[in-house]
Amino acid sequence: MSKVLLSIIIPVYKVEEYLAKCLDSVLEQGMDVATYEVIVINDGSPDNSKEIIESYLPNHPNLIFIDQENQGVSVARNKGLDRAKGEFILFVDPDDAVFEYSIPPLLQIAQEKQLDILYLSLDLYDEAGNFLSHYENCGEEGVVSSGLIHPRRTFPATLYRRDLIGSIRFVKGITRGQDTVFNAMVQSLAQRCSYSNLKYYKYLQRETSSRSLVGNENAFKGCMLAIEAFIEFEQKHFTIASPASISYFFNLKVLFLQRQVEWGLLDTLDKNRYYRVKQFIRDHQLEKVAKEVAKIYSYFGASYSVFASYHTVLQFKHHLFRKLSAWKQKALR
């Protein structure tokens, strides 16, 4: 019996118009079906996604179907991780796809170089199938380094060794950036990370954007959950800290406190939220982290009235600049 080399995990929710293309792309890789499995988790999708998945089951013995009530993408991915048997793990979003025959050479690189993580190439496309751009590289092609110093880029175009992931799971309750948190925790434990620029992932840039989550209370709370997760993870796995680990987790805390400002404060300038963040900083002794964020967002270290006044004026100036730019473009026509 062949060893399961790869598990591909696909969480599904309201993607009936894209799902078949995604499934075709991962199931038609020219690989022996006994060597890889495709785990598809239907997260209580209210459309025809379940029926589409079921239509593939008779002809694809390596397709594993998990059906659950809607619990969110993190729970769905965790179900896939719990079920996975492969030596390596790939996550694919159901509205995306992968290039034909792209996976076998990437697995070969990971095996030959004994990698824990291999970051992969990602191209952006619009809904009409037009190429938009190539996502920036993540490290130098072929160079191997430890996770604490290798450039970090979030999922989905990432190949993980399953043993490295171990018991690490996506944090439930983080509605935006949950992939960043998972990736950052896993990479911190990696000894061998690298990057390949071989064509692999087709990312669909949909018109419906995560921008709608800006100002959302769940996204606001999620940033605090992320920072708490990093604090707990660092204390558990890095009891003997090194300069590299201290810098790594410090930068992650800065990132999510910065997102807290961007996603939860700037659009709303909510006084209650501002002081909730301030209390959170005191409770978790994040004063140094807050000082770094204040370098990016002026007066974050000041009172709410000063912070709000400054950014209200700044928003007005940006709005006025955009209006003037639009007027100039119109006048030149």
Side-chain angles (χ1 to χ4, degrees):
M1 184 176 178
S2 299
K3 179 181 179 181
V4 179
L5 181 59
L6 174 68
S7 298
I8 301 173
I9 298 173
I10 306 175
V12 172
Y13 184 75
K14 292 179 69 173
V15 287
E16 60 181 358
E17 63 266 49
Y18 312 106
L19 185 54
K21 183 178 180 180
C22 176
L23 292 175
D24 288 341
S25 76
V26 298
L27 290 166
E28 297 172 4
Q29 285 288 317
M31 297 172 63
D32 181 346
V33 296
T35 63
Y36 80 113
E37 60 185 5
V38 179
I39 305 172
V40 184
I41 307 96
N42 179 49
D43 187 33
S45 190
D47 60 7
N48 293 316
S49 293
K50 179 179 179 179
E51 288 73 19
I52 293 170
I53 299 165
E54 289 176 333
S55 72
Y56 278 76
L57 291 173
N59 298 317
H60 298 281
N62 61 333
L63 180 61
I64 298 165
F65 177 42
I66 298 173
D67 193 28
Q68 66 177 33
E69 294 182 359
N70 179 246
Q71 299 178 66
V73 66
S74 290
V75 174
R77 290 172 184 154
N78 289 341
K79 286 278 184 70
L81 283 170
D82 291 342
R83 174 62 179 79
K85 296 179 180 178
E87 181 182 348
F88 293 95
I89 299 288
L90 280 174
F91 295 97
V92 177
D93 283 347
D95 49 356
D96 299 331
V98 300
F99 282 93
E100 188 177 26
Y101 307 134
S102 61
I103 295 177
L106 297 170
L107 285 171
Q108 185 177 352
I109 291 171
Q111 288 179 300
E112 289 178 351
K113 294 192 173 184
Q114 298 181 317
L115 298 177
D116 295 317
I117 290 177
L118 180 61
Y119 285 110
L120 309 173
S121 169
L122 184 148
D123 291 335
L124 280 71
Y125 291 81
D126 65 19
E127 296 197 53
N130 300 309
F131 172 79
L132 297 175
S133 64
H134 179 74
Y135 198 84
E136 68 269 17
N137 293 353
C138 183
E140 296 181 49
E141 175 85 18
V143 174
V144 178
S145 56
S146 73
L148 289 176
I149 64 173
H150 192 277
R152 192 186 58 77
R153 188 191 70 196
T154 192
F155 148 108
T158 307
L159 180 68
Y160 298 95
R161 186 177 293 276
R162 184 166 63 91
D163 287 347
L164 174 69
I165 294 173
S167 62
I168 300 172
R169 294 295 183 266
F170 290 86
V171 179
K172 186 178 180 181
I174 301 177
T175 58
R176 191 179 182 197
Q178 67 272 23
D179 42 3
T180 304
V181 177
F182 173 83
N183 172 273
M185 291 192 295
V186 174
Q187 180 170 319
S188 71
L189 302 180
Q191 296 302 309
R192 296 180 62 79
C193 298
S194 192
Y195 169 77
S196 171
N197 201 35
L198 293 176
K199 286 284 189 180
Y200 167 62
Y201 202 87
K202 298 179 180 180
Y203 180 87
L204 178 62
Q205 188 74 57
R206 295 168 67 178
E207 290 183 10
T208 52
S209 169
S210 58
R211 176 70 185 168
S212 61
L213 290 174
V214 172
N216 183 290
E217 178 68 13
N218 288 332
F220 175 78
K221 290 179 179 177
C223 290
M224 289 187 276
L225 282 175
I227 295 172
E228 288 174 337
F230 289 137
I231 292 171
E232 180 180 347
F233 190 87
E234 183 180 14
Q235 291 173 344
K236 179 180 179 180
H237 294 278
F238 295 87
T239 51
I240 302 176
S242 67
S245 68
I246 292 170
S247 174
Y248 185 89
F249 285 99
F250 179 81
N251 289 332
L252 287 169
K253 294 165 194 171
V254 170
L255 171 64
F256 272 88
L257 189 58
Q258 180 182 336
R259 288 182 174 184
Q260 183 75 287
V261 175
E262 294 170 352
W263 297 350
L265 295 178
L266 291 185
D267 275 22
T268 63
L269 292 177
D270 186 295
K271 184 176 182 179
N272 177 264
R273 283 186 183 177
Y274 187 79
Y275 285 114
R276 282 163 62 192
V277 174
K278 291 293 184 177
Q279 187 62 52
F280 179 81
I281 290 168
R282 289 191 292 271
D283 290 345
H284 294 84
Q285 300 179 343
L286 297 170
E287 286 78 9
K288 290 183 180 179
V289 174
K291 285 183 179 180
E292 285 298 310
V293 175
K295 294 177 183 178
I296 304 167
Y297 294 104
S298 300
Y299 300 106
F300 179 62
S303 66
Y304 167 77
S305 59
V306 174
F307 174 82
S309 297
Y310 174 81
H311 286 283
T312 298
V313 172
L314 202 60
Q315 287 173 3
F316 175 75
K317 288 181 178 179
H318 287 167
H319 175 72
L320 185 60
F321 176 78
R322 289 194 298 268
K323 293 276 284 185
L324 288 171
S325 297
W327 178 82
K328 286 180 180 179
Q329 290 178 359
K330 187 176 180 181
L332 290 172
R333 289 175 186 171

